[in-house]
Amino acid sequence: NAGVTQTPKFQVLKTGQSMTLQCAQDMNHEYMSWYRQDPGMGLRLIHYSVGAGITDQGEVPNGYNVSRSTTEDFPLRLLSAAPSQTSVYFCASSSGLAGEQYFGPGTRLTVT
Amino acid sequence: AQTVTQSQPEMSVQEAETVTLSCTYDTSENNYYLFWYKQPPSRQMILVIRQEAYKQQNATENRFSVNFQKAAKSFSLKISDSQLGDTAMYFCAFMKGNTGTASKLTFGTGTRLQVML
C-alpha cells in the first residue's frame, strides 16, 4: 500500500492563480481531511469528508473548495490564491473512530 | 468548540533521560479521544499514542506513556530513555467520539523537543 499520497510536494503560485492539491489513499478509508500547518499555530482543519459525496467545512474553510467523487480521492482547490494561504497542507485519512489517522507527506505552498 | 493548549513551546532533554510534555484541553464532551503526534524534520506526522476518554487506564507504547487526568482535562506525554531520534515537534490532539467527527482533529500548537548528547 502507498498509504496517503499528495501531489505536488512543493508549489509556488502568484496571487490570484488557482490550483488543485491532490490527495489519494489506497486503504479504502471512508474519512478524509485537509489541514494546514502554519508556524506557531499547529494544524488546523480546512475541510473534511465522511464518505464519497459528503463533505463539510472545518475551522478555516474560506478560499478553499473540496469534492469527494470517489472513496480514494479528495482534492483541495484554491480558487484565487492569496499570500495568506502560504502554508504546508496535509491530507489525512482514517477508517473511523477506532482507526488511526494516516497523514500524507504534505505540500508546501508559497503564494507570492 | 474544543481547544487544546500546549504551554511549552520548546523543551530539551539529555539522551537516556525522561521528559514530560504537557497538554490541557477544554471540552464539554464526555466521549472523546486524545492523541500525541510526532513530527520530525521530515515533516511526516506520526501517531505516537492514543487514549480513549472512557478508559481509565493510561495508554503506553514502549517508551511512551501518558498521564490522563480526565477531571483536570490534562493529557501529558512521558518519554522515557530519550533517544536522539525523539527530536521532533510533538502535537497533542483531540477528537470527539462521534462517528461523524472521526476525521476532525483539533491540534495544540506543539512542543519542540530537542534530545541532546
Side-chain angles (χ1 to χ4, degrees):
Chain A
N1 285 354
V4 180
T5 58
Q6 290 184 239
T7 56
K9 285 190 168 50
F10 302 93
Q11 182 71 47
V12 178
L13 289 178
K14 293 189 187 308
T15 297
Q17 287 184 316
S18 63
M19 80 159 295
T20 299
L21 305 185
Q22 301 292 344
C23 174
Q25 51 92 8
D26 61 359
M27 297 172 281
N28 202 32
H29 286 168
E30 288 297 317
Y31 300 89
M32 297 186 75
S33 314
W34 276 103
Y35 296 86
R36 60 178 287 173
Q37 182 178 18
D38 301 298
M41 299 190 73
L43 280 75
R44 292 181 292 167
L45 182 66
I46 305 171
H47 285 284
Y48 67 99
S49 170
V50 299
I54 307 170
T55 65
D56 205 348
Q57 296 180 351
E59 181 186 353
V60 287
N62 292 343
Y64 308 95
N65 272 0
V66 293
S67 60
R68 184 101 179 268
S69 56
T70 67
T71 299
E72 294 77 21
D73 300 300
F74 191 43
L76 178 72
R77 296 182 189 84
L78 281 70
L79 305 174
S80 177
S84 61
Q85 294 177 305
T86 293
S87 189
V88 178
Y89 292 84
F90 287 96
C91 179
S93 76
S94 80
S95 58
L97 284 177
E100 176 181 343
Q101 290 239 6
Y102 291 85
F103 283 82
T107 294
R108 181 176 293 278
L109 175 68
T110 302
V111 183
T112 61
Chain B
Q2 285 66 232
T3 59
V4 177
T5 301
Q6 294 180 249
S7 58
Q8 305 153 314
E10 294 184 357
M11 295 192 71
S12 61
V13 62
Q14 294 292 130
E15 194 178 23
E17 296 293 306
T18 295
V19 64
T20 298
L21 309 184
S22 300
C23 173
T24 59
Y25 59 95
D26 189 24
T27 185
S28 57
E29 303 287 328
N30 194 49
N31 184 23
Y32 53 87
Y33 296 77
L34 294 164
F35 307 85
W36 279 98
Y37 280 89
K38 169 185 177 181
Q39 187 179 44
S42 67
R43 202 170 68 193
Q44 182 67 47
M45 294 290 288
I46 302 164
L47 178 65
V48 174
I49 200 163
R50 174 174 60 195
Q51 175 80 42
E52 291 93 338
Y54 62 87
K55 289 188 177 178
Q56 292 187 342
Q57 186 172 5
N58 289 327
T60 62
E61 287 287 342
N62 301 314
R63 298 183 294 108
F64 299 88
S65 61
V66 299
N67 183 3
F68 174 47
Q69 302 288 328
K70 190 172 183 179
K73 295 180 181 173
S74 171
F75 183 61
S76 60
L77 175 70
K78 185 171 83 171
I79 306 175
S80 304
D81 186 25
S82 297
Q83 300 175 358
L84 295 177
D86 295 333
T87 292
M89 194 76 162
Y90 286 82
F91 291 98
C92 179
F94 172 100
M95 184 174 72
K96 284 191 207 179
N98 307 323
T99 304
T101 61
S103 54
K104 296 176 66 177
L105 289 170
T106 300
F107 285 87
T109 53
T111 296
R112 187 173 302 280
L113 177 67
Q114 179 72 47
V115 180
M116 299 180 296
L117 285 169

